Amino acid sequence: MDGEVKRSVRFAVVSWPLFVAALVVAPVFISNDYMLHVLVLIGLYAILAESLNIVVGFTGQFSLGHAGFWAVGAYVSAILMIRLGLSFWTASVMSMLAGYFTGVLLGLPAMRLKGDYLCIVTLGFGEIVRIFATNLEVTRGPMGIPGIPTPQIGGFSFDSELSMYYLCWACAVVTMYIAARMRHSRFGRALMSVRDDELAAVSLGVNMTYYKVQAFGIGGMFAALAGSLYASWTTFISPDVFQFSDSANIFCMMILGGLGTIAGPVLGAFLLAGLPEVLRQFAEFRLIVLGLLMIILMIYRPGGILGSYDTAGSTRQVRRRKIAREV
Amino acid sequence: MFFQQLVNGLAVGGIYALIAIGYTMVYGILFFVNFAHGDIYMLGTYCAFFIFGFMGIEVTGGVINVPQFFAALIPSMLICGVMGIALEKFAYRPIRNGSRLSAMISALGASLFLCNTAMYLFGSQTKPMPKLFAGEYITIGNTIISYIQLAVLVVSILLMLALHFFIKHTKLGKAIRAVSDDQRAAVLMGIDMNRVISATFAIGSALAGAAGIMVGIYYGAVYPTMGAVAGIKAFTAAILGGIGNIPGAMLGGVLLGIIESLGGAYISFGYRDAIAFFVLIIALCLMPTGILRKGRT
């Protein structure tokens, strides 16, 4: 192990328990339901941003259609629960499978495309999902699906904000943990090698197609989990919830926090999902300020708030590209 | 039916093409997608809305004539051009040497800023726009062509011809072509990069402003979020034609408009937008560099 890895391991041993402990005790200090509501929302966005991070941060595949997976998860889960009477747990596992396969499906054209072309294809994917949700009969079109049951276990029902807070953040922590473990695994290193230098990765025998498709699949799976949680939490979903602006928002959370880091997307979720709620008294200005903030941050800290170590790869790549252009 | 949809598609396609040109020109020079472009287009519509108000034209059910149309078109294009220059100066110039990713985020930020500023200043509700000609039309066979569709087509074609002339036959146009061909060599030949980039943004934004006014009059409505969908469509058009390529953007816009209209009529109106995206995805997989590719990507 070199020094860098050792340091990051030592950091992880302290930071993970601290983070989890903070999450567990937080409701003791936050008694009001509105704040808990905001925290649940942040937890859901944390899952979304973290799962997008696997696609964009680890594998370097641009994706501007992440809300599409979110919608797939929410609709599959809601429809299975209402039409087939499945429990939340079965439905959410099914929705994660659906998210995975949708991701693989989207990964197929992504094999051939990169950069801006990939952006537009993923963006188109998000729109296509929304258009289908608006037009299909099973999704009840623009009217949406009301009365989605809440998760239940034994006799206990997750119908309070507090119980949903624990459920959502448990899922968020699991997602973060899996992402963190993945990053240091053979699988994760293969993803990052594809990101840093496709040609070199392929020359060393990394099956690029497989990893790109898997990255989309896994990203889609966790986003679908967030969707499934969202559906049962709000008990109502409609196509309006899953707009392009949400995909862009999730993308920004990931970038602002720090692309390719584990804590970054979660921090981004706190900033972009939490701040607008906290600043609700300035409702008219909050998105204006947010837009300005994004520009300013990109000028002064383009790697994101936590991004320094991890973005080294991408800046190196930029430099290499620049050199290549000059030669 | 077929020809009717073709005419509808051409009118909408001309508008997409005008917006797509802005995306493609910026991409050809700076290699990033200016997500705030759709919002400049929206501001163009609002400019016209206020100019009509200033001229004392009733916006609800009002009718304007051709001189009034141009009286609104030209100042709106100018204002949009200036806004394009300002946008580049504040949001993109400071990070020009950064990664493409930060440029993209900055663009998303600028888009958020413009859209929400418009919402704050003008209100989020849809406002009516006056009509050009009082719904008159001509009939060829079974095909109905309204005057407004003709006007949109004619103005789009005129603007594209003007752009073509500008790019091919003026010094600044030559400089823009030189920079998009080879930035380094262009700078070494003494071309002022900043000037070229400002000009690119000004032209693209002015055309988007023109498209905004025409859409406002065509559909009779203006609202702050109108830039999002139009922006996505125009971006699609730019990629379809081969991004970085101006004739490609024109072709892509017109094609997208026609595909959408025909798909909406023959397959399903509700899935109209989805059809456009499906075609795009298939086209990209088969021809990853667009229909008219640029030398390099």
Side-chain angles (χ1 to χ4, degrees):
Chain A
M1 280 205 295
D2 62 356
E4 209 155 13
V5 173
K6 232 183 247 169
R7 227 176 304 134
S8 81
V9 167
R10 215 178 300 142
F11 178 69
V13 167
V14 183
S15 61
W16 280 94
L18 267 181
F19 179 65
V20 172
L23 284 174
V24 170
V25 298
V28 177
F29 303 100
I30 301 162
S31 48
N32 102 31
D33 257 8
Y34 173 65
M35 280 312 286
L36 274 177
H37 181 90
V38 173
L39 280 173
V40 176
L41 194 68
I42 293 171
L44 291 175
Y45 272 112
I47 300 176
L48 288 166
E50 198 70 61
S51 59
L52 182 61
N53 195 22
I54 294 171
V55 182
V56 185
F58 290 5
T59 326
Q61 305 300 302
F62 282 69
S63 173
L64 273 178
H66 215 56
F69 296 115
W70 188 20
V72 166
Y75 271 106
V76 167
S77 163
I79 290 166
L80 287 179
M81 283 167 82
I82 289 180
R83 298 261 163 139
L84 302 182
L86 296 181
S87 75
F88 168 78
W89 314 104
T90 331
S92 69
V93 169
M94 300 291 268
S95 78
M96 281 172 80
L97 276 176
Y100 175 79
F101 285 113
T102 320
V104 168
L105 213 61
L106 178 62
L108 291 177
M111 292 181 316
R112 294 178 56 115
L113 305 167
K114 41 181 122 160
D116 304 271
Y117 292 96
L118 190 54
C119 262
I120 188 76
V121 165
T122 51
L123 197 156
F125 159 75
E127 288 297 300
I128 287 171
V129 170
R130 199 169 58 85
I131 293 161
F132 271 82
T134 317
N135 287 292
L136 285 177
E137 210 163 293
V138 69
T139 57
R140 287 171 44 90
M143 291 179 296
I145 303 179
I148 302 163
T150 48
Q152 279 174 332
I153 195 160
F156 182 74
S157 168
F158 287 83
D159 50 7
S160 68
E161 292 287 353
L162 185 68
S163 55
M164 275 315 274
Y165 165 83
Y166 281 117
L167 183 61
C168 287
W169 273 102
C171 292
V173 169
V174 168
T175 311
M176 285 171 72
Y177 187 71
I178 290 175
R181 295 295 300 166
M182 194 194 285
R183 203 166 61 145
H184 294 295
S185 70
R186 187 189 138 90
F187 184 81
R189 281 197 296 270
L191 294 184
M192 285 185 273
S193 73
V194 171
R195 173 193 72 189
D196 288 340
D197 198 326
E198 257 178 37
L199 197 63
V202 173
S203 329
L204 291 174
V206 173
N207 184 346
M208 189 180 76
T209 307
Y210 172 79
Y211 285 105
K212 279 188 182 175
V213 169
Q214 286 299 322
F216 271 102
I218 294 170
M221 185 172 82
F222 284 110
L225 171 67
S228 167
L229 287 165
Y230 178 85
S232 283
W233 175 50
T234 55
T235 72
F236 170 74
I237 51 172
S238 75
D240 291 341
V241 178
F242 314 99
Q243 304 264 4
F244 166 64
S245 54
D246 293 291
S247 296
N249 210 1
I250 298 165
F251 197 90
C252 292
M253 288 175 187
M254 179 190 65
I255 301 285
L256 288 187
L259 185 67
T261 61
I262 301 300
V266 179
L267 178 71
F270 267 97
L271 287 178
L272 289 196
L275 272 188
E277 297 294 334
V278 176
L279 299 177
R280 206 161 257 288
Q281 68 243 47
F282 312 107
E284 287 154 334
F285 298 108
R286 65 200 168 112
L287 288 172
I288 300 177
V289 173
L290 196 66
L292 275 181
L293 257 174
M294 277 160 64
I295 299 175
I296 293 167
L297 200 75
M298 281 305 114
I299 294 173
Y300 293 104
R301 205 157 165 76
I305 297 167
L306 297 180
S308 50
Y309 163 70
D310 286 278
T311 45
S314 52
T315 46
R316 206 176 301 139
Q317 204 182 359
V318 168
R319 210 178 305 136
R320 196 180 307 149
R321 214 179 292 135
K322 221 176 263 170
I323 293 166
R325 212 182 292 156
E326 279 168 16
V327 168
Chain B
M1 170 84 158
F2 177 79
F3 287 103
Q4 184 65 60
Q5 292 307 327
L6 204 64
V7 169
N8 296 350
L10 272 175
V12 180
I15 292 169
Y16 288 158
L18 283 182
I19 314 172
I21 288 168
Y23 278 111
T24 236
M25 283 181 78
V26 168
Y27 193 90
I29 286 181
L30 292 175
F31 300 102
F32 85 98
V33 181
N34 176 14
F35 277 105
H37 193 60
D39 298 279
I40 297 275
Y41 148 91
M42 172 270 294
L43 290 173
T45 321
Y46 271 104
C47 281
F49 176 81
F50 286 110
I51 291 169
F52 287 140
F54 191 70
M55 292 194 295
I57 295 161
E58 191 74 42
V59 281
T60 318
V63 176
I64 52 169
N65 55 29
V66 176
Q68 282 171 322
F69 171 71
F70 281 102
L73 181 74
I74 290 159
S76 306
M77 282 177 73
L78 284 176
I79 295 171
C80 283
V82 171
M83 279 193 290
I85 294 174
L87 172 72
E88 191 269 328
K89 203 153 197 156
F90 291 118
Y92 305 141
R93 190 163 294 184
I95 48 174
R96 196 183 291 161
N97 295 322
S99 75
R100 286 164 59 179
L101 201 63
S102 26
M104 203 171 114
I105 301 296
S106 187
L108 284 170
S111 165
L112 206 60
F113 173 75
L114 289 176
C115 179
N116 285 285
T117 309
M119 221 178 256
Y120 174 70
L121 292 177
F122 314 137
S124 55
Q125 68 277 37
T126 304
K127 292 202 167 89
M129 289 280 283
K131 281 202 189 88
L132 178 64
F133 312 114
E136 291 138 273
Y137 57 85
I138 47 173
T139 330
I140 302 171
N142 289 329
T143 311
I144 298 166
I145 306 172
S146 68
Y147 279 13
I148 172 86
Q149 281 176 329
L150 275 180
V152 165
L153 260 179
V154 169
V155 173
S156 312
I157 291 170
L158 282 180
L159 284 171
M160 286 187 234
L161 284 177
L163 176 73
H164 183 79
F165 175 82
F166 174 81
I167 293 286
K168 288 279 179 216
H169 300 290
T170 65
K171 212 172 165 191
L172 191 55
K174 210 180 201 173
I176 291 176
R177 274 187 295 145
V179 171
S180 93
D181 266 355
D182 190 331
Q183 215 160 344
R184 216 173 132 75
V187 172
L188 285 174
M189 294 300 126
I191 292 173
D192 182 354
M193 259 303 263
N194 286 341
R195 201 159 143 254
V196 166
I197 290 171
S198 290
T200 306
F201 270 87
I203 294 166
S205 304
L207 291 177
I213 300 166
M214 289 196 281
V215 162
I217 292 169
Y218 191 63
Y219 292 117
V222 53
Y223 49 97
T225 50
M226 65 189 279
V229 173
I232 293 173
K233 294 269 182 67
F235 180 35
T236 305
I239 295 226
L240 195 60
I243 197 154
N245 182 319
I246 297 174
M250 299 176 186
L251 183 67
V254 172
L255 263 181
L256 187 70
I258 292 173
I259 291 170
E260 240 185 54
S261 292
L262 291 178
Y266 286 104
I267 303 173
S268 152
F269 187 78
Y271 289 102
R272 196 176 51 152
D273 293 348
I275 292 161
F277 285 118
F278 269 124
V279 168
L280 176 86
I281 292 177
I282 293 163
L284 275 183
C285 289
L286 300 178
M287 304 175 285
T289 44
I291 299 168
L292 304 179
R293 61 194 303 182
K294 202 175 165 237
R296 68 210 168 93
T297 47

